[in-house]
Amino acid sequence: MKESLISFIKEKIEEYNYRGAVVGVSGGVDSAVVLSLCVQALGKDRVFALILPERDSSKDSLKDAVDFCERLGVEYRKRSITPILRKIGVYRLFPPRLFLPDSIVKRYVLNRWNTLSKDPFLDDLRNTGPEEFLKGLAYYRIKHRIRMCLLYFEAEKRGYAVVGTTNRTEYLTGLYVKWGDEAVDIEPIMHLYKTQVFELAKEMNVPEKILKKPPSPDLIPGITDEMAFNMSYLELDRILMKLEKNEDLSDEDPKKVERVKKILELSEKYRRDIPITFDRI
Amino acid sequence: MKESLISFIKEKIEEYNYRGAVVGVSGGVDSAVVLSLCVQALGKDRVFALILPERDSSKDSLKDAVDFCERLGVEYRKRSITPILRKIGVYRLFPPRLFLPDSIVKRYVLNRWNTLSKDPFLDDLRNTGPEEFLKGLAYYRIKHRIRMCLLYFEAEKRGYAVVGTTNRTEYLTGLYVKWGDEAVDIEPIMHLYKTQVFELAKEMNVPEKILKKPPSPDLIPGITDEMAFNMSYLELDRILMKLEKNEDLSDEDPKKVERVKKILELSEKYRRDIPITFDRI
């Protein structure tokens, strides 16, 4: 698989007149795999990595992102988007953290997240919930959209492509920000389930530290992917694969299967069917 | 047509759990039509208009946008995105205008636009051109993307939909910014050619002043849509409609027909086929 993805990136960069690739590096496994693929496909001199933390980002992930870029010898820039988000007024939506330790902020956020909605991920998908919950959606979504703007700004100046890091599990379940992290030119791992990305990451010697970390969009302190899904990636991918191949699901937890079906239905409608047009164009 | 678009907007707002509509108003005919449709579909109390000028925006269009919102009695906010673009460093790409009059800036831009590329619009579509031309693409494209971020920020806080203003001529020819003005929730006029939007605008009493203005994305001083196409909308739409219905084109200018076909081919590949994925998902 690795070799075919490397040639895929190489071919598409050539075919679409791009001169290289820009990758947003978060310190997570998906972007680590995509950055490695791009370096092997184009050589490190035609790859530019952007690390875009902000006030709420995990310091640990930031360090992992910088370390990984240095390990690959890729040109990178670390730029905080906090000043831009502050200029827009994003942080006025929620009280300043002041100097509260991470653990307290995380507990506060988790508590609010669970009291504002019986099922935050489903409400997120269908844009429903009390005002404070909707403010929370606006609060975290603009972060990935601003990142998209900066990735494209750096890419288009250079005539580079923005290469995306969305995997199949995220795409099918809608675990991405509309017009945010899914807004890219080339998606080399969008056909791979998260668990398959982990396999590829091992094959590509992504550091153990990145592999071991619980996957998180790092948008809201303390909220991980598996918390949103209410199940592990292992279980989720297993159910997704069986659903896709119409295989027998009787040995799966029926409640989890129902939840996955509901997530697929909502993400189809609220993520992929957008924009809604009057006529099929 | 007007009545069916009004019910379309009403139905989709309801069906997708939105509480209202946010519209980006530029002072042009498309956004004037869409704002009017939304007000008639939802009532002005469930419509919020955002006017987002910046350093290079036409003062005249800004005034038209404000006047039109006041005429419809819609709640609107005028917010310059210049400080945000400045914070990002966008204006560092090109020399400050200082206090040069519009006419000189426009002549300078037009001169650069034509010397940097033999066919700026086609080069824009296929992301090719000398470095300064690519910097020009990055310079203007981020403006619409930042506008998209702010439209969604205001919309998602309220649980509103972002209603788009892209018409069919723009969609087919690629005259929009990828992940910028096309990134919306609902597109009520994307099936209407520009000339049809003008008809609808007359029906909806859009002021003569807006109707008479040469359509422009108002991203680069002095550059209008018809300059980019190198033909009038009348001629362009006529050719597009005939191509779509496989009608006889012998009474059209063969060079213009070839150009339209080239534009359609490039915009299909470089606008609508993005993102490029390894496998059809």
Side-chain angles (χ1 to χ4, degrees):
Chain A
M1 174 51 73
K2 185 181 94 173
E3 294 316 325
S4 41
L5 293 184
I6 288 169
S7 22
F8 163 72
I9 292 171
K10 210 167 149 35
E11 276 156 38
K12 293 303 175 186
I13 290 285
E14 245 62 66
E15 183 191 332
Y16 280 78
N17 315 315
Y18 292 117
R19 300 177 185 181
V22 165
V23 181
V25 181
S26 65
V29 66
D30 297 308
S31 56
V33 165
V34 168
L35 189 68
S36 308
L37 288 170
C38 287
V39 167
Q40 294 189 37
L42 308 172
K44 60 184 167 62
D45 298 335
R46 290 172 66 201
V47 179
F48 181 69
L50 256 179
I51 303 172
L52 300 166
E54 50 89 26
R55 178 187 85 166
D56 297 330
S57 300
S58 136
K59 307 286 176 289
D60 192 42
S61 284
L62 174 58
K63 187 173 178 322
D64 291 341
V66 170
D67 291 350
F68 192 67
C69 289
E70 287 184 350
R71 176 183 157 128
L72 293 187
V74 164
E75 185 196 354
Y76 71 92
R77 182 182 307 161
K78 189 179 77 174
R79 173 185 187 162
S80 167
I81 62 171
T82 297
I84 299 166
L85 296 174
R86 187 162 283 135
K87 181 69 81 179
I88 291 171
V90 173
Y91 296 125
R92 284 200 294 271
L93 283 187
F94 285 98
R97 301 172 42 124
L98 301 178
F99 301 102
L100 290 173
D102 260 8
S103 53
I104 293 186
V105 173
K106 283 181 182 172
R107 218 174 310 134
Y108 166 83
V109 168
L110 218 55
N111 176 289
R112 295 304 296 151
W113 174 262
N114 287 317
T115 31
L116 288 170
S117 162
K118 270 193 242 111
D119 195 322
F121 186 56
L122 297 191
D123 280 346
D124 181 328
L125 282 175
R126 55 185 166 216
N127 304 316
T128 49
E131 189 151 338
E132 196 186 334
F133 183 81
L134 295 178
K135 263 169 56 180
L137 301 186
Y139 178 85
Y140 89 74
R141 290 178 180 175
I142 194 166
K143 294 178 183 177
H144 269 3
R145 292 186 183 124
I146 290 293
R147 287 186 174 115
M148 178 275 287
C149 293
L150 296 180
L151 285 166
Y152 266 94
F153 189 56
E154 294 303 329
E156 285 171 337
K157 282 194 280 187
R158 295 169 170 79
Y160 280 18
V162 174
V163 181
T165 62
T166 304
N167 60 61
R168 188 189 197 86
T169 308
E170 290 166 338
Y171 177 74
L172 291 174
T173 59
L175 190 76
Y176 56 85
V177 171
K178 193 75 205 158
W179 320 122
D181 46 329
E182 51 122 24
V184 300
D185 296 311
I186 301 175
E187 288 277 24
I189 62 169
M190 193 182 245
H191 61 298
L192 296 177
Y193 287 98
K194 184 78 171 187
T195 39
Q196 294 170 321
V197 175
F198 271 106
E199 293 316 310
L200 188 54
K202 283 173 201 147
E203 192 188 330
M204 302 190 80
N205 306 315
V206 168
E208 202 59 24
K209 186 160 180 274
I210 291 180
L211 295 177
K212 286 266 171 297
K213 226 172 4 178
S216 154
D218 200 10
L219 290 168
I220 307 172
I223 307 283
T224 68
D225 296 2
E226 290 170 327
M227 220 178 266
F229 293 129
N230 209 349
M231 70 187 86
S232 72
Y233 265 115
L234 218 61
E235 188 171 19
L236 173 61
D237 276 1
R238 212 176 46 232
I239 294 172
L240 285 172
M241 290 178 196
K242 287 180 181 173
L243 282 170
E244 209 162 351
K245 291 179 215 146
N246 283 315
E247 286 174 3
D248 169 43
L249 285 150
S250 53
D251 53 2
E252 297 294 349
D253 172 344
K255 275 210 189 111
K256 295 287 178 63
V257 173
E258 272 329 293
R259 179 169 176 73
V260 172
K261 283 181 181 171
K262 187 65 183 169
I263 287 173
L264 290 173
E265 177 209 318
L266 293 177
S267 67
E268 176 72 33
K269 177 172 177 131
Y270 291 95
R271 291 284 194 272
R272 288 189 296 288
D273 265 4
I274 300 284
I276 308 150
T277 53
F278 181 74
D279 262 349
R280 275 288 130 220
I281 308 292
Chain B
M1 173 54 73
K2 186 181 93 173
E3 294 315 325
S4 40
L5 293 183
I6 288 169
S7 20
F8 162 72
I9 292 171
K10 210 168 151 27
E11 275 155 37
K12 293 303 174 186
I13 290 285
E14 244 64 68
E15 183 191 333
Y16 280 79
N17 314 316
Y18 293 117
R19 302 175 184 183
V22 165
V23 181
V25 180
S26 65
V29 66
D30 298 307
S31 57
V33 165
V34 168
L35 189 68
S36 308
L37 288 170
C38 286
V39 168
Q40 295 189 37
L42 308 171
K44 60 184 170 58
D45 297 336
R46 289 173 66 201
V47 179
F48 180 69
L50 256 179
I51 303 171
L52 300 166
E54 50 88 26
R55 179 185 84 167
D56 299 329
S57 299
S58 136
K59 307 288 176 285
D60 192 43
S61 283
L62 174 57
K63 187 174 177 322
D64 292 340
V66 170
D67 291 350
F68 193 67
C69 288
E70 288 183 351
R71 175 182 158 128
L72 293 186
V74 163
E75 185 196 354
Y76 70 92
R77 182 182 307 159
K78 189 179 77 174
R79 174 186 187 161
S80 168
I81 62 171
T82 296
I84 299 165
L85 296 174
R86 187 162 282 134
K87 181 68 80 178
I88 291 171
V90 173
Y91 296 126
R92 284 200 295 272
L93 283 187
F94 286 98
R97 302 171 45 122
L98 302 178
F99 301 101
L100 291 172
D102 260 7
S103 54
I104 292 185
V105 173
K106 283 181 183 173
R107 218 176 308 133
Y108 166 82
V109 168
L110 218 56
N111 176 287
R112 296 304 299 153
W113 175 262
N114 288 316
T115 31
L116 287 170
S117 163
K118 270 194 243 102
D119 195 322
F121 186 56
L122 297 192
D123 280 346
D124 182 326
L125 282 175
R126 53 183 167 218
N127 303 316
T128 49
E131 189 151 336
E132 197 185 334
F133 184 80
L134 295 178
K135 262 167 59 178
L137 302 186
Y139 178 85
Y140 89 74
R141 292 178 180 175
I142 194 165
K143 296 178 182 177
H144 269 5
R145 293 186 183 123
I146 290 294
R147 287 183 173 117
M148 179 274 287
C149 292
L150 296 180
L151 286 165
Y152 266 93
F153 189 56
E154 294 303 329
E156 286 172 337
K157 281 194 280 187
R158 293 168 171 80
Y160 280 17
V162 174
V163 181
T165 62
T166 304
N167 61 61
R168 185 187 198 88
T169 307
E170 289 166 339
Y171 177 74
L172 291 174
T173 59
L175 190 77
Y176 56 86
V177 171
K178 194 73 207 158
W179 321 120
D181 46 329
E182 51 124 20
V184 299
D185 294 311
I186 300 175
E187 289 277 24
I189 61 168
M190 194 183 244
H191 61 298
L192 297 178
Y193 288 99
K194 184 78 172 187
T195 40
Q196 294 170 322
V197 175
F198 272 105
E199 293 316 311
L200 187 54
K202 285 172 201 148
E203 191 187 330
M204 302 189 79
N205 305 315
V206 168
E208 201 60 21
K209 186 161 182 276
I210 290 180
L211 295 178
K212 285 266 172 297
K213 228 176 358 183
S216 155
D218 200 10
L219 290 168
I220 305 172
I223 306 284
T224 67
D225 296 3
E226 289 171 326
M227 221 179 263
F229 293 129
N230 210 349
M231 71 186 88
S232 73
Y233 265 116
L234 218 60
E235 189 172 19
L236 173 60
D237 276 1
R238 212 176 48 231
I239 294 172
L240 284 173
M241 289 179 195
K242 287 181 181 172
L243 281 170
E244 207 161 355
K245 291 179 214 144
N246 282 316
E247 285 174 3
D248 168 44
L249 286 150
S250 52
D251 53 2
E252 298 293 348
D253 173 343
K255 276 209 191 115
K256 294 285 176 67
V257 173
E258 273 327 295
R259 179 168 176 74
V260 173
K261 283 181 181 171
K262 187 66 183 168
I263 287 173
L264 289 174
E265 178 208 321
L266 292 177
S267 66
E268 176 72 32
K269 178 173 176 126
Y270 290 95
R271 291 284 194 271
R272 288 189 296 289
D273 266 4
I274 302 284
I276 309 150
T277 54
F278 181 74
D279 261 349
R280 276 287 133 223
I281 308 289

